[in-house]
Amino acid sequence: MKKIAVLTSGGDSPGMNAAIRAVVRRGIFKKMEVIGVKHGYQGLMDGDYVPLGLGSVGDIIQRGGTILQTARCEAFKELAGQRLALNRLKDSGIEGLVVIGGDGSFNGALALTRLEFPTIGIPGTIDNDIACTDMTLGFDTAVNTVIDAIDKIRDTATSHDRTYVVEVMGRHAGDIALWSGLAGGAESVLIPETEMNMDDIVARLLASQKRGKKHSIIIVAEGVSTGHKIGEVIHERTGFETRVTVLGHIQRGGSPSAYDRMLGSQMGAKAVDLLAEGERGKMVGIQNNQMVAVDLSDALSQEHKLSLPLYELARSLSI
Ligand code: ADP
Ligand code: F6P
C-alpha cells in the first residue's frame, strides 16, 4: 500500500491530533504517502484532500480538537454518497483509509469496507461507549476536565453549605459520570445503565446531613435527566439550597492528557501497520494495556459495558 488517507468524524475528542500525527509519521516511516481528508465524510465525498508531510503534523500532539476538522454528514449514510466517496478516493490513488471517530463513524467505515475499500477505525470519543476496547481516545482527558470542575465546585459548595448537581456528557454511557464521580469523591452518581432511584439519592442526602455533612455533589449523566430537573427534585424533597452546573462542551476540548497522547500515538501507528499488513474492516483497541485489532462489525454489534463493580465501589465509598 503506497497511499493512504486519514479523517476524523463525528464528535471531536482530545487525542485525535496525536492519532493523526501518528498515522502520518508511521505512514511516512513505512514509505507511504499520507493524505488528510478535511471535514469527515463530507470532505471524503467532496474530495477535500490535503497532503500531509512530517512538518504538517508538528506541534499538534498537545492540541485538543482535530486539525482535519470534523463533520456530521447525512449524505454519506446513503449508498450513493459512499460510492461518490469511493470514486474520489480511487481517482486520487488512495488505497486505504483510517477513520477516527465514534460508532456512527464506524458504520461509515464498515460501509466502505463492504464496498471493498480497506478501512481501519480508531475509537475517538469522550464517551468511552465503544465495545471491544477498554478505553476510547479522549475519555481520560474528559474525565480529568470534569474532576477539575468538581474540585472547584466543591470549594464553593463547602463554603456555602450547598448541594450541587453537576451534569456531564454521556447520552448512552455513564462512564464519564462514574469515573469522575468516583475520582472526584461525589456523593451520588446517576448513570443511564442503572435505574434512577430518587428516593435513594434523597435518603443518602438526608442521612449524610444527619451526620453533620452540609454539602454534597451529585453527578448526573445527560442520558439520565437534566441536571436542572434533578436539582429541582432534590430541593423540593430536602429543602437544601441547591445549585446546578452543566459542564457541556468544555468536556470535549482541551489539551489531551498524557494517557490520550499515548493512546492516540499507539492507535494511529497500529492502524497504519494493519493497513500495511493487508487488514481491512478492523478497529484498533486497547485491551489489558495491549493494542489489539478487532472486527469493526464486532465492535459495532457488541454493547459497551460499564463496570458495575466500579459503580458499587463509588456507592460504598460515598456513604
Ligand atoms: P460518532 O462517530 O461520534 O458516533 P455520528 O453518530 O454523528 O458520530 O456519526 C458521524 C458520521 O458517520 C455521520 O454524520 C455519518 O456521516 C456517518 N455515519 C453514521 N452512521 C452511518 C451509517 N449507518 N452508514 C454510513 N455512514 C454513517
Ligand atoms: O459523542 C460525544 C458527545 O460529546 C456526547 O457525549 C454528547 O451528547 C454529544 O457528543 C454532543 O454532540 P454535539 O453537541 O456535537 O452534537
Side-chain angles (χ1 to χ4, degrees), residues 72 125-127 169-171 222 249 252:
R72 293 197 166 99
T125 163
I126 62 164
D127 289 350
M169 278 184 166
R171 280 171 295 189
E222 64 179 341
H249 289 78
R252 283 244 293 261

Side-chain angles (χ1 to χ4, degrees), residues 29 49 60 72 119 167 179 182-183 210 213 216 242 263 276 287-288 291:
F29 177 75
Y49 303 166
I60 66 166
R72 293 197 166 99
T119 307
E167 182 189 312
W179 283 54
L182 186 49
K210 262 199 188 144
K213 190 168 182 179
S216 290
T242 305
L263 196 59
Q287 293 176 2
N288 300 320
M291 282 295 112

Side-chain angles (χ1 to χ4, degrees), residues 9-11 41 71-74 76-78 82 101-109 111 124-125:
S9 166
Y41 291 121
R72 293 197 166 99
C73 168
E74 284 303 307
F76 192 75
K77 292 184 180 171
E78 307 298 328
Q82 295 156 17
D103 54 356
S105 305
F106 286 173
N107 276 306
T125 163

